[in-house]
């Protein structure tokens, strides 16, 4: 399996056009492509920069010529869960016609959309990308190729990966920035390439504050890693 991470700009997509004009972003929760009716049904989270931006974005989305249906499932302040049905875009049609398939959720912001697309062989991939280039702008941000063993391992341990991801997301902005800077500057190397004092000067805070932020981030990441390892062990035991 070939898995592509594509930064896409379609010229017939209601979501992309809306994020071009309004400070709003969309993240897919659920989607279903109906090739017979040439339409895509989606459930998305819409997040505006403000409550007003959310309202403006949803209004623009409903008025788009390629939008067949748009309705609100729930809404609170500047975030809403919405259901939509849009006409099949050129990119959707191209991917489907060339043997491609969606492998993950998509996110749309600032006039661009992040797609996760899979192909079974190189020829299908080459044909799809060549055809996409005629009517869309895109950049392949990442490309992975999995054999049966790697793919099985990825699917089998998806819950473990999610636990690790949730642990990383639990970091506050300050904890994450401190942790990443310390690692990048060599704080965890032997011997250390930087010190707490140098990190405190970098962030213009006390050494105690740096140390506390590091300990909190280390604890969260370590707990997530241990939870992921335990889940991997449980999964391995169940499949024996």
């Amino acid at each position: 399996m070939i898995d592509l991470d594509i930064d896409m700009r379609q010229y017939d997509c209601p979501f992309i056009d809306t994020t071009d004009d309004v400070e709003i972003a969309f993240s897919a929760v659920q989607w279903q492509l109906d090739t017979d009716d040439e339409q895509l049904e989606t459930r998305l989270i819409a997040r505006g920069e403000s409550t007003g931006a959310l309202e403006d974005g949803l209004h623009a989305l409903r008025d788009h010529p390629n939008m067949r249906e748009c309705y609100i499932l729930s809404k609170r302040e500047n975030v809403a869960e919405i259901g939509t049905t849009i006409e099949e875009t050129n990119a959707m049609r191209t991917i489907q016609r060339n043997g491609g398939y969606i492998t993950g959720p998509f996110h749309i912001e600032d006039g661009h959309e992040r797609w996760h697309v899979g192909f079974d062989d190189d020829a299908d991939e080459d044909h799809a990308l060549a055809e996409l280039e005629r009517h869309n702008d895109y950049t392949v941000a990442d490309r992975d190729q999995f054999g049966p063993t790697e793919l099985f391992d990825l699917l089998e341990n998806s819950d473990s990966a999610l636990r690790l991801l949730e642990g990383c997301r639990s970091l506050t902005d300050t904890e994450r920035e401190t942790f990443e800077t310390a690692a990048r500057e060599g704080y965890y190397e032997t011997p250390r390439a930087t010190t707490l004092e140098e990190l405190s000067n970098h962030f213009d805070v006390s050494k105690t504050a740096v140390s506390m932020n590091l300990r909190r981030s280390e604890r969260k990441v370590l707990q997530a890693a241990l939870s992921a390892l335990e889940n991997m062990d449980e999964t391995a035991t169940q499949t024996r």
Side-chain angles (χ1 to χ4, degrees), residues 58-206:
L58 295 180
H59 180 75
L61 198 62
R62 290 191 188 98
D63 289 345
H64 195 281
N66 286 357
M67 178 62 65
R68 294 185 179 180
E69 185 179 23
C70 178
Y71 52 92
I72 296 174
L73 295 167
S74 64
K75 183 171 65 172
R76 183 175 181 181
E77 297 179 350
N78 65 322
V79 179
E81 182 181 3
I82 63 174
T84 66
T85 301
I86 69 171
E87 294 183 6
E88 184 181 55
T89 65
N90 171 268
M92 295 177 203
R93 188 163 49 252
T94 298
I95 294 296
Q96 190 274 335
R97 186 166 53 205
N98 288 281
Y101 40 87
I102 303 300
T103 60
F106 53 86
H107 179 78
I108 309 120
E109 190 170 8
D110 295 330
H112 288 264
E113 184 174 10
R114 185 56 63 97
W115 278 33
H116 303 278
V117 181
F119 295 94
D120 291 328
D121 59 58
D122 293 336
D124 287 343
E125 176 194 6
D126 291 342
H127 292 154
L129 293 181
E131 191 173 337
L132 277 177
E133 199 166 17
R134 297 173 196 160
H135 303 286
N136 308 271
D137 287 335
Y138 72 87
T139 301
V140 177
D142 195 17
R143 182 184 189 276
D144 292 308
Q145 190 158 4
F146 303 100
T149 301
E150 293 86 357
L151 187 58
F152 177 82
D153 190 43
L154 178 65
L155 295 174
E156 192 74 11
N157 293 292
S158 60
D159 188 51
S160 298
L162 182 60
R163 294 185 184 201
L164 186 58
L165 180 61
E166 289 173 346
C168 292
R169 284 178 172 164
S170 71
L171 298 178
T172 67
D173 291 342
T174 299
E175 289 167 355
R176 176 173 177 173
E177 185 179 3
T178 305
F179 190 37
E180 289 179 342
T181 301
R184 187 169 53 248
E185 297 298 321
Y187 180 75
Y188 294 105
E189 294 177 6
T190 304
R192 285 177 171 166
T194 192
T195 64
L196 278 178
E197 183 173 0
E198 289 170 331
L199 290 172
S200 70
N201 290 334
H202 175 84
F203 290 106
D204 195 24
V205 297
S206 68

Side-chain angles (χ1 to χ4, degrees), residues 9-11 13-24 26 108-112:
R9 181 170 176 82
Q10 303 181 73
Y11 292 102
C13 176
F15 304 113
I16 288 179
D17 287 346
T18 299
T19 62
D20 248 343
D21 300 329
V22 184
E23 292 294 323
I24 191 172
F26 301 99
I108 309 120
E109 190 170 8
D110 295 330
H112 288 264

